[in-house]
Amino acid sequence: MQGGKASNRLFYLSIPPNIFIDAVKCASSSASSGNGWTRVIVEKPFGRDSDSSAALTKALKQYLTEDQIFRIDHYLGKELVENLSVLRFSNLIFEPLWSRQYIRNVQLIFSEDFGTEGRGGYFDHYGIIRDIMQNHLLQILALFAMETPVSLDAEDIRNEKVKVLRSMRPLQLEDVVIGQYKSHSKGGVTYPAYTDDKTVPKDSLTPTFAAAALFIDNARWDGVPFLMKAGKALHNKRAEIRVQFRHVPGNLYNRNFGTDLDQATNELVIRVQPDEAIYLKINNKVPGLGMRLDCSNLNLHYAARYSKEIPDAYERLLLDAIEGERRLFIRSDELDAAWSLFTPVLAELEEKKIMPEYYPYGSRGPVGAHYLAARY
């Protein structure tokens, strides 16, 4: 409100990173609010590695304080990601199971069924690891794995997320698989390869797919693999968290499952998009006189349960920024910890010019990713 009591200003930088600092400098020096608050929303990418990210933070802090900077990761505004803490901390049945004693692995999956389609120039500079894994998937992992915070206050939640990131084992090259989509014809339609994009260099080694196994070396998660998978031009579009529980010790019904015990493993799936849902796979007896078991879902399907439209992630985050609620925004020490996890392996991939494994457009991704998953 200008001319009235207090005027607050919120600047939203959805611009190329190379002009962030100039924009902030101008906003800070000549467009700051005199008597209200001035806040700046910064859209990713926050640098390309630890050094550039630290330089960006340092430059921003010449003109702004940490509590004026709102680093947006729109995945944190998604309804099902917001619900993750509610699911864990307000349901007695989940919290006791949320550890290495009961969980065998956790999978964080992000797939898109389209390629870079004209955004290749931007994408080629960053690649899928920087674009999706280092921020969206790692943020979900931190929320998933954190200890119970002291309160729902933003700083308490962010403190716990930082602890998770700082307990993570450095990522090894042998635990990473990268891929790039190639041209593929299906049903008379030819889908382009990544390098067919005019804005992408012909010899580009930038990954459009990556899978990685990460580990958190703390008492709760010691030895549990967190498998991340992100890719473009895959067979479907989805983002989900899959929690696979351990086998039942001395299971009475083993022979009823035949040889494939994995079919009998309980799994909790949190589908972030599309078609939001939370479902739990349980083993159940098929009705009838014989003893036949099958795997069924206890399903909370959002569209069926709630008639309300789910707000867009950005709506929630913009409202939070206006209200000064920082819970879903990323603190600078959190950003440093996230980059320090991925920077060494990104540098190694680029220095050694590691060739991505090619996979056909519209497929399930490179075969190497299945081997990586099978190892864990």
Side-chain angles (χ1 to χ4, degrees):
M1 176 171 98
Q2 303 294 127
K5 288 195 284 270
S7 65
N8 297 320
R9 303 235 171 128
L10 178 64
F11 295 94
Y12 184 175
L13 305 185
S14 187
I15 52 178
N18 55 340
I19 52 176
F20 273 171
I21 306 305
D22 294 338
V24 166
K25 183 180 175 182
C26 296
S28 161
S29 58
S30 51
S32 274
S33 163
N35 54 0
W37 49 254
T38 301
R39 294 177 187 145
V40 177
I41 294 179
V42 186
E43 181 85 73
K44 76 170 179 66
F46 316 118
R48 288 188 81 249
D49 51 26
S50 291
D51 295 347
S52 55
S53 169
L56 180 63
T57 296
K58 190 178 170 197
L60 286 173
K61 286 188 178 175
Q62 288 177 349
Y63 307 106
L64 302 166
T65 59
E66 175 68 38
D67 64 2
Q68 287 179 290
I69 305 168
F70 285 72
R71 296 175 190 82
I72 205 165
D73 181 333
H74 69 271
Y75 256 70
L76 293 183
K78 299 247 183 227
E79 187 68 45
L80 279 263
V81 175
E82 271 272 68
N83 195 29
L84 198 51
S85 306
V86 178
L87 194 70
R88 248 186 92 178
F89 300 127
S90 74
N91 290 298
L92 182 65
I93 56 172
F94 291 124
E95 183 53 25
L97 302 179
W98 225 254
S99 72
R100 57 192 294 272
Q101 274 82 11
Y102 296 101
I103 291 178
R104 193 170 61 159
N105 65 64
V106 179
Q107 299 162 43
L108 303 136
I109 301 164
F110 173 95
S111 69
E112 289 180 331
D113 53 4
F114 51 89
T116 51
E117 266 84 278
R119 284 179 69 246
Y122 158 81
F123 184 83
D124 201 67
H125 187 55
Y126 292 97
I128 197 83
I129 297 178
R130 291 183 178 91
D131 197 41
I132 304 294
M133 280 190 169
Q134 181 272 340
N135 38 64
H136 301 333
L137 294 186
L138 193 59
Q139 283 294 323
I140 293 175
L141 185 152
L143 273 176
F144 178 93
M146 71 183 184
E147 295 301 316
T148 312
V150 179
S151 76
L152 288 175
D153 182 64
E155 294 314 304
D156 290 334
I157 291 174
R158 299 196 296 186
N159 288 344
E160 294 306 334
K161 283 166 68 189
V162 171
K163 283 184 201 165
V164 171
L165 298 177
R166 289 178 59 188
S167 350
M168 291 184 77
R169 194 183 302 171
L171 195 50
Q172 302 301 320
L173 197 56
E174 64 264 22
D175 284 336
V176 178
V177 171
I178 58 169
Q180 191 188 86
Y181 65 87
K182 62 181 183 190
S183 175
H184 179 56
S185 298
K186 194 165 67 178
V189 182
T190 301
Y191 295 93
Y194 173 65
T195 49
D196 292 343
D197 187 324
K198 295 202 175 8
T199 56
V200 172
K202 284 283 163 259
D203 56 353
S204 171
L205 296 179
T206 302
T208 60
F209 175 98
L214 296 110
F215 293 89
I216 303 171
D217 290 336
N218 65 13
R220 185 186 286 267
W221 296 112
D222 188 24
V224 177
F226 284 79
L227 301 165
M228 275 188 189
K229 201 162 75 174
K232 291 184 173 292
L234 294 170
H235 69 300
N236 65 9
K237 176 177 164 51
R238 65 178 173 152
E240 63 186 19
I241 308 163
R242 301 186 84 92
V243 185
Q244 220 172 41
F245 293 97
R246 295 195 178 279
H247 294 130
V248 174
N251 192 339
L252 287 171
Y253 293 100
N254 271 357
R255 61 191 188 82
N256 297 82
F257 287 113
T259 51
D260 192 359
L261 275 177
D262 284 349
Q263 290 294 318
T265 304
N266 297 125
E267 204 172 4
L268 175 68
V269 181
I270 300 163
R271 194 164 61 216
V272 179
Q273 67 177 38
D275 209 19
E276 294 84 350
I278 299 171
Y279 58 94
L280 181 64
K281 293 187 171 181
I282 62 153
N283 298 314
N284 197 39
K285 178 184 172 300
V286 177
L289 298 173
M291 176 51 79
R292 219 174 90 238
L293 274 66
D294 82 343
C295 189
S296 301
N297 289 344
L298 297 177
N299 194 350
L300 165 59
H301 182 229
Y302 270 58
R305 174 73 181 84
Y306 301 107
S307 54
K308 283 177 65 172
E309 188 188 338
I310 292 176
D312 180 73
Y314 281 103
E315 292 176 54
R316 171 169 313 171
L317 291 164
L318 289 171
L319 188 64
D320 278 357
I322 291 166
E323 291 177 347
E325 166 58 77
R326 295 188 169 72
R327 217 161 28 96
L328 302 178
F329 295 89
I330 298 159
R331 209 164 61 183
S332 58
D333 56 343
E334 203 177 331
L335 187 60
D336 294 344
W339 272 122
S340 59
L341 186 65
F342 279 99
T343 296
V345 87
L346 283 164
E348 207 176 339
L349 286 168
E350 281 161 20
E351 279 158 21
K352 294 184 174 166
K353 292 198 166 25
I354 303 281
M355 283 289 293
E357 189 185 326
Y358 293 104
Y359 62 96
Y361 193 117
S363 68
R364 290 178 173 271
V367 178
H370 300 295
Y371 286 122
L372 178 70
R375 259 172 50 207
Y376 295 113

